[in-house]
Amino acid sequence: MDSNPTCNDKDKDNDKKKTVQHSMLLCCKLYISESRNKEALDLIERAVKRDPETVIVNKFEDREYNRVRYTLVSYVAHDSIGCPIYSPLHQSVMAMAEAAYEAINLELHSGAHPRLGVVDDIVFHPLGRASLDEAAWLAKAVAADIGNRFQVPVYLYGAAHPTGKALDTIRRELGYYRPNFMGNQWAGWTQPEILPERPNEGPNTVTRARGIAMIGARSWVATYNVPILSTDVSTARRIALMVSARGGGLPTVQTLGLVHGEDTTEIACMLLEPNQIGADRVQNHVQMLAEQEGLDVEKGYFTDFSPEMIVERYLKLISSGSA
């Protein structure tokens, strides 16, 4: 006969609670305008490691772009009627943003990828049984805190925006895609300090050292880059436009043609519906267009794991205690 049924019941309740938490997950992709300053990145990474409930499941650095992306995962907790009330991601992202603003000065930054802020983009994706509404709830909470605490203008997009405004639309309005140095680089802050479009959070004026932030929520987006063995960025831009939905190419695909090192350019792609238009179609389309220009193309690469792999890595890291 079990001499302590109460403890056994408590263990079962705890196991059930953990199972629910591990199925109600949110993913945050945090893009920061720095990849060459190791001390700055170490400071940012130490900030998130203070909370064992948030896991860095991936990190993608690109020295040519001078940009890093952290992929973070944690659970979302709910109240008695099922409304989201807490996620460890909230404080983790705030801690990383604080470290980034302390360590990085946008006026001293340059790279071959567009950016408008030290903390350039924060996007939340639902994983497992979590919903897009929950991702949007967290995006709006983080946006309010970053705007108020750090006095950084914040633009919401996707499911976090009141009308679902798209990220590329906002970026286009703010001049995100226009290089301001050598025709193919982004350096310092050269935009007006009084913004042409009112932000959703934070002030209407910009601190040049910090810039602005984009924060949103959306269903899963895959990022896939295809190197072209050419230094001709104008051709890369032309190919990028023809691949994109905007240029009459592949539906739900957004692209940039960018310089990437001394010998190559790159078609950087966002696949908004990767289960419908995937990497193979993008690769083939880029290759066809490049061949018409007499250019060779390398095999492209994803910059992050699939949602299934991210959940798997999260669960493995949490269970091993190495988060």
Side-chain angles (χ1 to χ4, degrees), residues 3-211:
S3 60
N4 196 353
T6 305
C7 288
N8 286 340
D9 290 344
K10 186 180 288 187
D11 289 342
K12 288 177 183 175
D13 288 342
N14 286 338
D15 288 343
K16 186 176 180 181
K17 184 178 179 182
K18 286 180 181 177
T19 301
V20 171
Q21 284 182 351
H22 290 165
S23 66
M24 304 289 281
L25 299 175
L26 294 176
C27 173
C28 172
K29 294 191 179 186
L30 174 59
Y31 294 84
I32 292 174
S33 299
E34 182 59 72
S35 68
R36 301 169 188 165
N37 184 338
K38 187 177 184 302
E39 288 183 7
L41 298 188
D42 287 346
L43 187 69
I44 293 164
E45 289 160 33
R46 282 200 300 272
V48 73
K49 287 175 181 175
R50 296 175 196 148
D51 188 343
E53 292 188 306
T54 295
V55 178
I56 299 179
V57 296
N58 199 13
K59 172 186 176 184
F60 182 76
E61 296 176 80
D62 195 307
R63 288 187 61 82
E64 299 300 333
Y65 292 159
N66 201 7
R67 184 175 177 88
V68 63
R69 188 216 57 238
Y70 294 99
T71 304
L72 315 172
V73 177
S74 194
Y75 64 86
V76 56
H78 302 77
D79 63 17
S80 58
I81 59 171
C83 296
I85 55 170
Y86 171 73
S87 174
L89 278 173
H90 189 149
Q91 290 308 315
S92 297
V93 170
M94 291 300 296
M96 293 178 80
E98 181 176 25
Y101 288 131
E102 287 179 359
I104 301 164
N105 183 340
L106 191 66
E107 288 194 284
L108 305 178
H109 176 273
S110 65
H113 193 287
R115 82 293 180 274
L116 285 173
V118 168
V119 179
D120 194 51
D121 182 20
I122 304 174
V123 59
F124 293 91
H125 302 290
L127 295 174
R129 290 170 48 210
S131 70
L132 187 56
D133 285 344
E134 289 160 337
W137 160 80
L138 185 52
K140 288 184 278 190
V142 168
D145 279 359
I146 285 182
N148 293 329
R149 182 171 169 186
F150 303 120
Q151 287 300 291
V152 169
V154 178
Y155 291 88
L156 294 171
Y157 67 87
H161 188 274
T163 63
K165 196 170 185 179
L167 174 61
D168 65 317
T169 300
I170 300 168
R171 283 175 163 174
R172 201 161 276 112
E173 290 172 350
L174 295 173
Y176 177 87
Y177 298 108
R178 292 195 296 270
N180 61 17
F181 182 61
M182 296 174 59
N184 56 30
Q185 302 280 317
W186 284 260
W189 176 269
T190 58
Q191 305 282 8
E193 291 184 18
I194 298 177
L195 294 164
E197 300 288 330
R198 180 151 191 84
N200 300 96
E201 300 288 353
N204 198 39
T205 55
V206 181
T207 302
R208 300 171 68 90
R210 294 182 173 183

